[in-house]
Amino acid sequence: EKFLLKSDLFIEDIHFKLNEMNFKDIGKRAVARVLSDFSACGGVPKFIGVSVGFPGYVIKKDLKDVFDGILEFSKKYKFSIVGGDTSKSEKLFLDVWGVGVCEKCILRSTAKIGDYIFLTGKLGQREFNSPFEPRIKESQNLIKKYKINSMIDISDGFIIDLYRILKVSNKGAILYSESIPCTAGESDLYRGEDYELIFTVDKTEKKIDLLKKNFYFVGKITSSEQGFVMKEGNVVKKVKVRGYSHL
């Protein structure tokens, strides 16, 4: 077993707005971001710690709702809450850290030429400020049954997060425009907070047809010399790399 360590900040007016989310969902969302990173490595959560800074306009009942959301997820995803801290602050923020475990860690840096590129779900489906279900179950299923070479979760946008795999693996990719499952259109390629998984599957995988039935096949890994391109009909264009930034 290998240990996974992750921390994540969730800050009012940067990651969420109080008038667009209830407090229970804020607790869930803050934790789900860390759980999603574990799923992207093929891991499961074991321990989560949460520190909260809260302003005067957040009352005790609101804080209880935040922790109720965290508790709900702890039961659902079977992790223990192991402490944290609270303090007054100018804005509401949660600092979440976690320990996860994995038997085989799936990296971003091990994509191979000829890999099939898949998505676990449609892009742009998540309401930006609602909680989401981290793809832990899907990730566990994938690594147990298939030859997964690399994986990442979509936090900043499909294009930029796939590019992160390509960059550290020193590879290129060809995407098939008509195969990419967008909800609202091309903007879904670049919006953040989707939290679906991008995973690449070895070209020798025998059950590729089964994967194509259950997930979205969107392209293939190529050599770095071939670059990062998108095929639309008979036209091949270079992909513009940009995405959502929290800075």
Side-chain angles (χ1 to χ4, degrees), residues 8 12-13 50 57 94 102 115 127 133 191 206 219 229:
D8 211 306
E12 181 187 347
D13 291 340
V50 183
Y57 50 83
L94 287 85
C102 62
D115 276 9
E127 264 312 307
E133 300 298 331
R191 61 164 278 188
K206 291 183 174 66
V229 298

Side-chain angles (χ1 to χ4, degrees), residues 221-237:
I221 298 292
T222 60
S223 69
S224 58
E225 289 78 25
Q226 288 173 276
F228 188 12
V229 298
M230 175 98 68
K231 188 174 184 186
E232 298 177 25
N234 294 319
V235 181
V236 176
K237 295 179 186 172

Side-chain angles (χ1 to χ4, degrees), residues 124-224:
Q125 277 210 121
R126 301 196 192 286
E127 264 312 307
F128 191 81
N129 284 314
S130 66
F132 59 88
E133 300 298 331
R135 299 300 187 208
I136 288 172
K137 188 171 75 176
E138 290 85 348
S139 165
Q140 290 298 295
N141 189 37
L142 286 165
I143 61 172
K144 282 170 185 162
K145 294 182 179 176
Y146 305 98
K147 295 178 184 175
I148 309 298
N149 284 336
S150 67
M151 191 152 57
I152 193 170
D153 66 327
I154 304 173
S155 57
D156 297 327
F158 168 69
I159 292 294
I160 199 167
D161 285 317
L162 175 56
Y163 176 71
R164 285 170 177 146
I165 285 180
L166 304 181
K167 192 174 181 186
V168 293
S169 295
N170 192 30
K171 298 291 184 289
I174 181 164
L175 297 173
Y176 308 122
S177 175
E178 67 280 0
S179 301
I180 301 173
C182 294
T183 304
E186 192 184 342
S187 62
D188 290 340
L189 298 174
Y190 297 99
R191 61 164 278 188
E193 307 276 325
D194 251 335
Y195 294 101
E196 296 294 349
L197 297 175
I198 303 168
F199 61 97
T200 78
V201 185
D202 201 271
K203 63 183 177 185
T204 64
E205 173 58 61
K206 291 183 174 66
K207 294 177 281 186
I208 210 76
D209 288 340
L210 188 60
L211 278 166
K212 286 180 178 178
K213 280 181 187 171
N214 292 312
F215 301 102
Y216 295 95
F217 167 59
V218 297
K220 285 191 174 181
I221 298 292
T222 60
S223 69
S224 58

Side-chain angles (χ1 to χ4, degrees), residues 15 21 24 37 41 50 52 59 119 122 175 181 196 238:
H15 302 103
M21 278 186 99
K24 196 171 181 181
D37 278 312
C41 297
V50 183
V52 180
I59 59 173
L119 267 170
K122 275 189 171 183
L175 297 173
E196 296 294 349
K238 194 175 176 186

Side-chain angles (χ1 to χ4, degrees), residues 1-3 44 46 101-104:
E1 263 190 348
K2 296 178 176 68
F3 286 104
V44 294
K46 284 293 178 190
V101 292
C102 62
E103 285 180 30
K104 182 193 175 190

